[in-house]
Amino acid sequence: MAEVKLFGVWDSPFSKRVELALKLKGVKYEYIEEDLKNKSPLLLNYNPVHKKVPVLLHNGKPISESLIILEYIDDTWQQGPPILPKDPYLRSKARFWAKFVDDKCIPAMWKACWQKGEEGEKAMEEANDALEFLENEIKGKRFFGGDDSIGLVDIAADVIACRNGIIAELMGVQFLRKDKFPNLCKWADEYCNCSFVKENQPPNQKLIHHYKALIQASTSSKSTK
Amino acid sequence: MADGVVLLDTYFSMFGMRARLALAEKGIEYEYKEENLGDKSPILLEMNPVHKKIPVLIHNGKPVCESLIIVQYIDEVWKDNNSPSLLPSDPYQKAQARFWADFVDKKVYDAGRRLWTTKGDELETAKKDFIEALKLLEAELGKKPYFGGENFGFVDVALVTYSSWFYAYETCGNFSVAEHCPKLMEWVKRCMEKESVSKSLADPKKVYDFVLFLRKKHGLE
């Protein structure tokens, strides 16, 4: 039995975080793709509370919630670069910004993509406000984790960096605009060019096909109302 | 700014209570500043420009925000001062503690809030959700004296502060936590025997009066 298993979904930004952290640390693992419309008994057993991915299984013991899993990985595997800094104050800042990405950035960005009209516009405003805070936080730094190291916040914000292009192209929503967020754009370029990031993204064509299908389904469900 | 510890907080906040409780557990002296959320102080706005919320712990002039992040910070900075750690040292146990504290914020807070801000069917749903969340926590507690095991720990800090709001929730929702979760109420009583807890939590009757005030203010009464 493999020591480390990851239950994930290929296009989930939250699963992706865990994969990136494991790759960063050089941890070998078995990946198990879940079908969220037909969740496996194993997933339901390992995450009975939320029934969600990702779930990391280490020596038979499950850990859920992506940011908690990232800290677990950092606490457990000493090899490879640290995901969190050692200093308690810097750790608190990393946790703060990772939580900010989850609570403020991603929900607003998701709504701005998928909700049209007034609600979509309001969400876009919220997304821009949130990104403005991130813009100020990254100023003067190469990565959120520091000049040399990708850290918790960079990995948490992976979806913001790596899907910006596809979302702009297919959905006409451009989040990381150079005129508005020059520092974030620079960070996204640097981050996406890191080899372990590049090598661990979902295949581009598969992602495009998937988004096109989602857009189609969303449009046709609106027109059948 | 002087070295030392300052806490920006409000008496009724179950989030602020967590910070107070963690500081009390560690025996840390600090300056408490009560904020008026209707008229936020310049220092609050400067120290938490992103959320403009309490609690904010200011240590040596540097702010730490978000209650569970503050509690972890306190645990990490004052880890060798003869008080037990709030978080376990074992990575798996630590992850479990973080998971359940996160669960409290995701499930208990939302349902609790709906208990005093809604009525009719919405209120009934809130009651169901609230009790369900507490039951899961009660199951997680099991036969242990505390969520942290033999010692009061991170999840205990995260959840016990909500108990100061139970009377308000019960009265608004017309139900009894003890009836549905007797073991959890025993745990609350056990926690309240600790001086750090009893001095950090708001008085439940005062919380209820505060909730009534908020309800009137928002036209819910």
Side-chain angles (χ1 to χ4, degrees), chain A residues 47 49-50 61-65 68 71-72 75-76 86-89 91-93 95-97 99-100 103-104 133, chain B residues 48-52 62-66 69 72-73 76-77 91-92 94-96 98-100 102-103 106-107 136:
Chain A
N47 190 0
V49 174
H50 300 303
K61 296 194 284 195
I63 304 111
S64 310
E65 297 299 297
I68 293 174
E71 290 219 34
Y72 175 81
D75 288 338
T76 304
K86 290 265 176 287
D87 172 72
Y89 179 68
R91 286 165 80 81
S92 77
K93 282 193 72 177
R95 287 171 177 145
F96 176 88
W97 288 109
K99 185 174 196 296
F100 180 80
D103 291 351
K104 299 288 177 189
F133 281 116
Chain B
N48 192 357
V50 176
H51 301 301
K52 305 175 178 52
K62 295 193 287 195
V64 183
C65 307
E66 298 295 301
I69 295 176
Q72 287 182 89
Y73 175 82
E76 286 171 12
V77 169
Y92 181 71
K94 208 185 286 198
Q96 292 312 297
R98 287 184 174 132
F99 175 87
W100 285 106
D102 177 68
F103 175 85
K106 280 191 162 91
K107 301 287 179 185
L136 275 171

Side-chain angles (χ1 to χ4, degrees), chain A residues 66-86:
Chain A
S66 63
L67 295 181
I68 293 174
I69 298 172
L70 257 45
E71 290 219 34
Y72 175 81
I73 291 170
D74 202 38
D75 288 338
T76 304
W77 286 281
Q78 305 305 317
Q79 75 256 31
I83 295 173
L84 275 124
K86 290 265 176 287

Side-chain angles (χ1 to χ4, degrees), chain B residues 177-196:
Chain B
V177 174
E179 191 188 309
H180 297 276
C181 303
K183 292 259 174 273
L184 202 67
M185 284 315 289
E186 280 171 25
W187 163 80
V188 170
K189 281 199 186 85
R190 192 176 303 126
C191 291
M192 288 298 284
E193 283 164 14
K194 288 171 62 69
E195 196 192 335
S196 58

Side-chain angles (χ1 to χ4, degrees), chain B residues 157-173:
Chain B
V157 172
L159 182 60
V160 79
T161 62
Y162 279 83
S163 71
S164 63
W165 281 65
F166 280 179
Y167 177 71
Y169 292 151
E170 287 168 322
T171 312
C172 293

Side-chain angles (χ1 to χ4, degrees), chain B residues 13-15 18 53 102-116 130 133 159 162 165 169:
Chain B
S13 163
M14 67 276 270
F15 304 107
R18 290 166 168 176
K53 285 181 172 179
D102 177 68
F103 175 85
V104 170
D105 277 352
K106 280 191 162 91
K107 301 287 179 185
V108 179
Y109 177 71
D110 178 66
R113 196 181 154 74
R114 283 184 279 134
L115 279 170
W116 65 269
F130 184 77
L159 182 60
Y162 279 83
W165 281 65
Y169 292 151

